[in-house]
DNA sequence: TAGGCCATCTGGTCCT
DNA sequence: AGGACCAGATGGCCTA
């Protein structure tokens, strides 16, 4: 008897504030999760705009409702366990809606802040592309790989011009992002089926649970796109300090060395080709670890520039144009 | 048209 | 009570 009585009370009154709001805030198609532009269009404007007269009306209605049902409600409440739940009056409903809208705004702002931080992270990534923005997940993966690659380089075990450096950068990245990095570095793809563990053991890729992630960038690359900002490597060289002091300046100074890569907007993309691709004036002191055939680089750059509207700056442009025309 | 990516809303949890 | 944070749900946009 009591059980059924309580059950009726629950069905009629134990409705959470948000359940109440669901009915009120539903979009015309009955969906409560309405895309932002629907709200921006004024479908669900914040209730802070509600006038004071409306607020007073709400309070009066609240009192009337409570007067008539107070006695029976007290009886119901005494039979229920747990915290006493307040009835969802219109005034309370409005307050809750306002709170929810404020929370939504805060959440939006928070996510915008998160996106801004992610954009800052993108800006210091070694690869930039005006047409192909790295996704959030790929940005994070590349950032992690970048840290690993730089760590390896600082430890002295990896040249920033080496293929292994690029492969470290590409660990666990999607094929398009791998292509982007490869295109930026103007290198060929990683051999099919090659796993990171097979190349170098430092800082292997791990998944969210700490397990090793296989290197999934097999096959030939689709056309690469993007530019490689060698300023980051220059920054690394500054960090490494004396290691490069014995080399002639032109080998490392592609210009703008003094610009801190991690402050403000990224420095303009610089060509890394002076170290990675055959050039007119190869350095006798610091030859690239791998010599890549002009045809491969040529092909990559042609595909990059023609298909993805990416402009690779620096000396390589002249090199490339001389071959393509 | 399916799938990836994204922005937003939402409700729950934790903390102050 | 309210804010921060998180994860799930949802729908829009874009691309292959």
């Amino acid at each position: 008897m009591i059980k059924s009585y309580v059950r009726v009370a629950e069905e009629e009154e134990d409705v959470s504030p948000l359940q109440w709001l669901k009915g009120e805030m539903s979009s015309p198609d009955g969906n409560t999760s309405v895309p932002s532009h629907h709200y921006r269009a004024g479908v669900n404007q914040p209730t802070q705009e509600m006038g004071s007269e409306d607020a007073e009306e709400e309070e009066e209605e609240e009192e009337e409702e409570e007067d008539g049902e107070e006695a029976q409600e007290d009886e119901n409440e005494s039979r229920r366990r747990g915290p006493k739940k307040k009835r969802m009056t219109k005034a309370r409903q409005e307050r809750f809606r306002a709170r929810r809208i404020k929370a939504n705004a805060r959440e939006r702002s928070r996510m915008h802040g998160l996106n801004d931080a992610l954009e800052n992270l993108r800006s210091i990534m070694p690869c930039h592309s005006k047409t192909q923005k790295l996704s959030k997940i790929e940005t994070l993966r590349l950032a992690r790989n970048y840290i690993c690659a730089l760590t390896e380089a600082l430890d002295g075990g990896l040249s920033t011009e080496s293929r292994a450096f690029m492969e470290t950068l590409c660990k666990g990245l999607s094929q398009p992002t791998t292509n982007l990095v490869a295109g930026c570095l103007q290198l060929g793809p990683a051999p099919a089926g090659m796993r990171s563990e097979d190349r170098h053991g430092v800082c292997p890729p791990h998944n969210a649970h700490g397990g090793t992630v296989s290197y999934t960038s097999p096959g030939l690359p689709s056309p690469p796109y993007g530019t490689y900002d060698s300023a980051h490597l220059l920054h690394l060289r500054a960090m490494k300090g004396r290691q490069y002091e014995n080399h002639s300046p032109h080998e490392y100074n592609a210009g703008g060395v003094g610009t801190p890569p991690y402050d403000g907007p990224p420095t303009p993309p610089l060509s890394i080709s002076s170290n990675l691709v055959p050039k007119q004036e190869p350095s006798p002191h610091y030859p690239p670890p791998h010599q890549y055939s002009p045809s491969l680089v040529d092909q990559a750059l042609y595909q990059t520039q023609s298909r993805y509207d990416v402009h690779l700056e620096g000396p390589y442009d002249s090199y490339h144009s001389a071959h393509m025309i």
Side-chain angles (χ1 to χ4, degrees), chain A residues 155-173:
Chain A
D155 288 346
L158 192 61
S159 165
T160 54
E161 286 79 24
S162 67
R163 190 187 191 96
F165 186 83
M166 184 211 72
E167 288 168 353
T168 301
L169 282 179
C170 293
K171 283 176 193 171
L173 299 182

Side-chain angles (χ1 to χ4, degrees), chain A residues 10-267:
Chain A
E10 284 175 352
E11 287 173 354
E12 290 182 351
E13 296 186 17
D14 288 0
V15 181
S16 73
L18 288 174
Q19 282 176 311
W20 269 75
L21 290 182
K22 278 188 177 182
E24 293 272 325
M25 297 184 70
S26 293
S27 61
D29 60 353
N31 197 327
T32 55
S33 181
V34 182
S36 61
H37 58 272
H38 293 177
Y39 292 92
R40 282 195 291 267
V43 174
N44 288 296
Q45 291 299 318
T47 51
Q48 292 95 310
E49 297 174 4
M50 185 173 67
S52 58
E53 293 180 9
D54 292 338
E56 288 174 8
E57 266 183 41
E58 299 290 351
E59 292 297 335
E60 289 174 6
E61 288 179 14
E62 185 177 0
E63 288 176 7
E64 287 177 11
E65 288 173 7
E66 285 175 354
D67 286 344
E69 301 168 5
E70 199 168 5
Q72 186 179 357
E73 192 172 314
D74 284 345
E75 190 178 348
N76 293 345
E77 291 291 344
S78 66
R79 293 166 190 263
R80 262 184 260 158
R81 289 190 170 193
K84 185 177 179 179
K85 293 183 179 179
K86 292 182 180 179
R87 292 183 62 253
M88 198 61 189
T89 63
K90 283 188 178 179
R92 187 156 179 259
Q93 180 181 335
E94 289 297 331
R95 282 196 296 271
F96 206 92
R97 179 193 289 178
R99 204 165 71 195
R100 187 63 256 175
I101 288 171
K102 276 178 66 180
N104 289 347
R106 280 196 308 272
E107 178 67 7
R108 261 198 312 274
S109 174
R110 195 181 69 87
M111 294 309 295
H112 287 165
L114 197 60
N115 288 340
D116 287 346
L118 208 55
E119 194 56 46
N120 286 338
L121 187 60
R122 278 194 193 99
S123 72
I124 64 167
M125 284 296 100
C127 295
H128 296 289
S129 172
K130 292 175 182 176
T131 56
Q132 184 72 27
K133 195 171 90 171
L134 285 175
S135 70
K136 292 179 176 181
I137 184 68
E138 291 294 273
T139 300
L140 293 176
R141 285 174 180 149
L142 181 58
R144 191 207 61 145
N145 290 352
Y146 193 33
I147 292 169
C148 288
L150 292 178
T151 301
E152 291 180 38
L154 281 173
D155 288 346
L158 192 61
S159 165
T160 54
E161 286 79 24
S162 67
R163 190 187 191 96
F165 186 83
M166 184 211 72
E167 288 168 353
T168 301
L169 282 179
C170 293
K171 283 176 193 171
L173 299 182
S174 69
Q175 190 63 57
T177 309
T178 299
N179 295 341
L180 171 64
V181 176
C184 291
L185 287 169
Q186 300 166 13
L187 300 174
M194 194 174 188
R195 295 174 63 89
S196 59
E197 302 91 322
D198 301 333
R199 296 189 296 270
H200 35 79
V202 183
C203 212
H206 292 84
N207 59 24
H209 308 289
T212 303
V213 176
S214 62
Y215 183 73
T216 55
S217 302
L220 294 170
S222 55
Y225 37 90
T227 57
Y228 187 86
D229 190 348
S230 66
H232 301 292
L233 296 187
L234 296 170
H235 179 72
L236 173 66
R237 288 180 187 121
M239 294 162 66
K240 294 181 78 170
R242 295 178 175 272
Q243 273 188 269
Y244 293 93
E245 279 184 358
N246 293 330
H247 302 299
S248 59
H250 83 274
E251 291 168 299
Y252 309 113
N253 189 358
V257 182
T259 305
Y262 298 99
D263 288 339
T267 55

Side-chain angles (χ1 to χ4, degrees), chain A residues 297-309:
Chain A
V297 177
D298 235 21
Q299 184 182 2
L301 197 65
Y302 170 73
Q303 290 172 332
T304 297
Q305 293 188 328
S306 63
R307 181 167 174 179
Y308 292 96
D309 188 31

